[in-house]
């Protein structure tokens, strides 16, 4: 069902366009880009090689998403400074087309739709509500600039390496997801609307030959020490922190990214531990230690086949089960004092920078030691509604206590083991200070007091000109985003 065909002007190989919306195609034999015009096929020159990126799909794969047949017609590779990611150009059987992307073990499927009047890129900010016409009101979760680096197969535009792409990702009601594509910023935006779906919603039926070696299908070899680490979330993890040598590496590129000090403590739930919780199988694939100025806590990354990733957090007072939320489901009208979810009001408990201090195992994002997000926790009863913001990217989640006895039973661990030992101190209320039960609390408290005194002196010195906050702070956070962040 070709809409156009001919021969590659560079190498003579047959070129077939299967999607009406396609403008260009990267020849699979010579990697020259071929653009179709009214009269012929034009050679646009060679496209840069693709960087290896973990992926569950490949160009020419067919399959179904929620029962709808799709074909993966092409992919574009982009980068916003932290490393490459892929977006897949998909064609539906009825002629419609759109994009498929994955993040955090979720699929994001969108279709091209006629856009209503949309705000200009410069006026957009995270957590802003935007009316998408018939699709409803969506909320901005991410606003970024990427750069096109390479492509493969058919595409609805010409691939020009280095071309900037301005875009915003939005979440809507009932799992809705949308992308406003501002292109290079000088053309009217295009709109893609669809859904966020769990990993199991996509069934790939006929896999094409993979263009790159399957990444870490069975084991990952640490490029620092050569150790073989069993793959726990294969084709989904971006980084490995080696359990033998602690080096952090880029899995697909087999490149050491940074070294880190040996762990001070071992995880209560060892990496590779498997178990079932609420009827879902999980494997513990990653471990992250994070700290604010006053507290430190541990986070476990769990991969659930067919579901995606979930977090389990051990803080000072309890184990918490974290469920990611759509930003569209959070009531932000009383921010920053309170936030609402499902009709319940949660009040602000603390707002702190949260910094990654140590990682172990496989992580689905390009984690860096020291990466910091602005974290806000809102509470009601024992539940915590959390907001993590890194630059122009924001993610919300809700956490509920999970007793260690339940976790120990699920993962076949000692019910009176190290996981049962919590520090017993409640988290501090916002602005209240105090808390903590560790031996270094006094040093931390003195540090905070010194910092406050310094701040008072500095503010007094700059008198009226000091706005107090230091700007919006968007520039200091990395573009890699928060651990809870995603697409
Ligand atoms: Zn060719
Ligand atoms: Zn190693």
């Amino acid at each position: 069902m070709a809409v156009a065909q001919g021969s590659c002007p560079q190498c003579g190989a047959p070129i077939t366009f299967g999607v009406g919306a396609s403008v260009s195609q990267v020849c699979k034999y010579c990697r020259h880009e071929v653009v179709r015009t009214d009269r012929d096929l034009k050679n646009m020159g060679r496209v840069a090689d693709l960087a290896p990126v973990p992926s569950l799909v490949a160009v020419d794969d067919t399959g179904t998403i929620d029962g709808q047949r799709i074909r993966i017609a092409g992919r574009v590779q982009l980068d916003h400074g932290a490393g490459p990611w892929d977006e897949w150009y998909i064609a539906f059987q009825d002629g419609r087309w759109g994009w498929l992307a994955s993040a955090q073990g979720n699929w994001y499927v969108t279709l091209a739709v006629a856009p209503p009047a949309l705000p200009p890129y410069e006026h957009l900010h995270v957590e802003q509500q935007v009316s998408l016409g018939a699709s409803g009101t969506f909320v901005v979760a991410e606003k970024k600039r990427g750069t096109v680096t390479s492509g493969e197969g058919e595409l609805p535009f010409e691939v020009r390496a280095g071309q900037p792409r301005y875009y915003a990702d939005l979440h809507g009601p009932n799992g809705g997801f949308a992308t406003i594509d501002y292109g290079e910023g000088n053309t009217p935006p295009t709109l893609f609307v669809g859904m966020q779906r769990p990993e199991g919603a996509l069934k790939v039926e006929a896999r094409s030959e993979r263009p790159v070696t399957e990444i870490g299908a069975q084991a990952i070899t640490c490029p620092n020490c050569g150790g073989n680490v069993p793959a726990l979330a294969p084709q989904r993890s971006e980084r490995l922190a080696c359990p033998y040598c602690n080096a952090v590496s880029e899995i697909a590129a087999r490149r050491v990214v940074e070294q880190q000090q040996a762990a001070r403590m071992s995880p209560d739930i060892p990496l590779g531990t498997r178990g079932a919780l609420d009827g879902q199988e999980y494997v513990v694939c990653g471990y992250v230690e994070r700290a604010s100025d006053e507290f430190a806590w541990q986070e476990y990354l769990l991969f659930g086949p067919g579901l995606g990733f979930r977090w389990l957090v051990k803080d000072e007072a309890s184990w918490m089960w974290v469920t990611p939320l759509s930003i569209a489901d959070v009531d932000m009208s009383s921010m920053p004092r309170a936030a609402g979810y499902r009709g319940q009001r949660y009040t602000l408990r603390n707002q702190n920078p949260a910094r990654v201090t140590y990682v172990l195992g496989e992580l689905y994002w390009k984690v860096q030691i020291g990466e910091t997000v602005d974290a806000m926790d809102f509470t009601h009863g024992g539940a915590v509604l959390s907001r993590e913001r890194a630059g122009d990217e924001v993610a919300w989640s809700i956490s509920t206590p999970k007793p260690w006895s339940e976790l120990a039973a699920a993962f076949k661990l000692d019910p009176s083991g190290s996981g049962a030992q919590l520090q017993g101190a409640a988290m501090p209320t916002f602005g209240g200070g105090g808390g903590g039960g560790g031996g270094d609390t006094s040093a931390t408290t003195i540090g905070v007091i010194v910092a406050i005194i310094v701040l008072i002196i500095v503010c007094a010195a700059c008198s009226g000109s000091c706005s107090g906050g230091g700007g919006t702070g968007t520039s200091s956070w990395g573009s890699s985003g928060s651990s809870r962040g995603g697409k």
Side-chain angles (χ1 to χ4, degrees), residues 8 11 27 30:
C8 172
C11 74
C27 172
C30 68

Side-chain angles (χ1 to χ4, degrees), residues 253-277:
R254 297 188 172 90
R255 177 176 65 91
V256 179
V257 177
E258 61 185 322
Q259 304 285 351
Q260 62 177 345
Q261 306 236 311
R264 285 154 297 163
M265 56 176 103
S266 55
D268 298 323
I269 312 175
L271 291 188
T273 301
R274 292 171 195 271
L277 272 165

